[in-house]
Amino acid sequence: MLFVGTDLADFGDYLPYLTTEYSSFLLFFLCGLCGLLFLTGYLLNHRSFQGLAHLFDVSGKLVTDFVTIFALGVTLMNMAIMGMLLLVFIYLLGGQLSGPLLGAVLTVVGFSAFGNHWKNSLPILIGVVLATRLGFTTETSTFQLLLTAIFGTSLAPISGYYGPIAGIFVSNITYLHGGLNLYNNGFSSGFVAAAMVPLLDEINQIKRRMNQ
């Protein structure tokens, strides 16, 4: 398997045009949105967290409609948790909210009703950071790293189904298109999944034969 590090220099030319002037406002907006989602979900779930732990054990493999499986309340709480996780992730890495990062976070919050949760998404985030810190990719800015990692959570079902190590491994290849936008990263994730899933299935079959 080839680890592809994309040259993001061309995209870097647009970084001066990104503004973080409204970072504080966007932070309050997202915190308020996540708080409202969680509170609404908590009330709809009869003032309980029942079902959340079970949701976190779901792989996220299609088709995983959390509203259908767990009801709306649990789904809204999961969406809020994912939003807060990504906010913490952004600020832990020294990032600041901007328009593209806001769009990325809201995208993942939306998909947290259809397969994403912290347990299958966190290995993807860790994998992208490790790829950068260990020098597997070309030099990137914090903004490029964050955007790629957040959109890279489209690979979360692989992490949920095959385990966190597989998630960390495949997340390195999200740099194939650099996470420039949802279309490119979606194409990259589909390409990675198509290449990796048969390999991971074969590894699982070998393990089962060895344990027999």
Side-chain angles (χ1 to χ4, degrees):
M1 173 56 62
L2 297 177
F3 290 86
V4 183
T6 303
D7 184 358
L8 298 179
D10 293 337
F11 184 66
D13 293 339
Y14 295 95
L15 292 180
Y17 300 98
L18 293 172
T19 178
T20 57
E21 180 181 355
Y22 304 101
S23 178
S24 297
F25 171 78
L26 295 179
L27 174 61
F28 287 124
F29 167 75
L30 282 177
C31 286
L33 176 64
C34 291
L36 181 62
L37 285 173
F38 194 89
L39 178 61
T40 303
Y42 179 75
L43 294 176
L44 288 176
N45 202 43
H46 309 291
R47 291 185 170 87
S48 77
F49 303 114
Q50 185 176 359
L52 264 180
H54 187 200
L55 183 149
F56 297 150
D57 289 331
V58 174
S59 69
K61 184 179 179 182
L62 289 176
V63 176
T64 308
D65 186 344
F66 289 150
V67 176
T68 301
I69 301 172
F70 298 101
L72 181 59
V74 177
T75 302
L76 290 177
M77 287 191 285
N78 180 59
M79 294 169 69
I81 291 170
M82 277 300 300
M84 293 307 299
L85 170 66
L86 294 179
L87 279 177
V88 171
F89 177 72
I90 289 171
Y91 283 95
L92 277 179
L93 293 182
Q96 288 186 299
L97 284 170
S98 59
L101 284 179
L102 172 66
V105 171
L106 291 177
T107 298
V108 177
V109 168
F111 276 102
S112 298
F114 205 73
N116 280 64
H117 52 74
W118 75 267
K119 201 170 180 180
N120 64 10
S121 298
L122 189 58
I124 304 297
L125 300 176
I126 292 173
V128 174
V129 173
L130 285 178
T132 306
R133 297 294 185 256
L134 297 178
F136 293 156
T137 68
T138 55
E139 185 176 350
T140 62
S141 68
T142 299
F143 167 77
Q144 292 164 323
L145 164 64
L146 290 170
L147 199 64
T148 301
I150 293 172
F151 277 136
T153 57
S154 55
L155 290 169
I158 291 182
S159 171
Y161 190 78
Y162 296 102
I165 301 301
I168 291 174
F169 178 77
V170 300
S171 63
N172 288 273
I173 317 175
T174 56
Y175 275 92
L176 185 65
H177 283 271
L180 304 188
N181 55 48
L182 181 59
Y183 172 79
N184 280 340
N185 215 77
F187 178 84
S188 174
S189 297
F191 177 83
V192 172
M196 289 299 301
V197 167
L199 176 60
L200 292 170
D201 280 337
E202 183 62 27
I203 292 174
N204 282 346
Q205 290 181 15
I206 292 173
K207 288 181 178 179
R208 282 195 293 267
R209 287 196 293 267
M210 291 177 64
N211 291 331
Q212 288 178 353

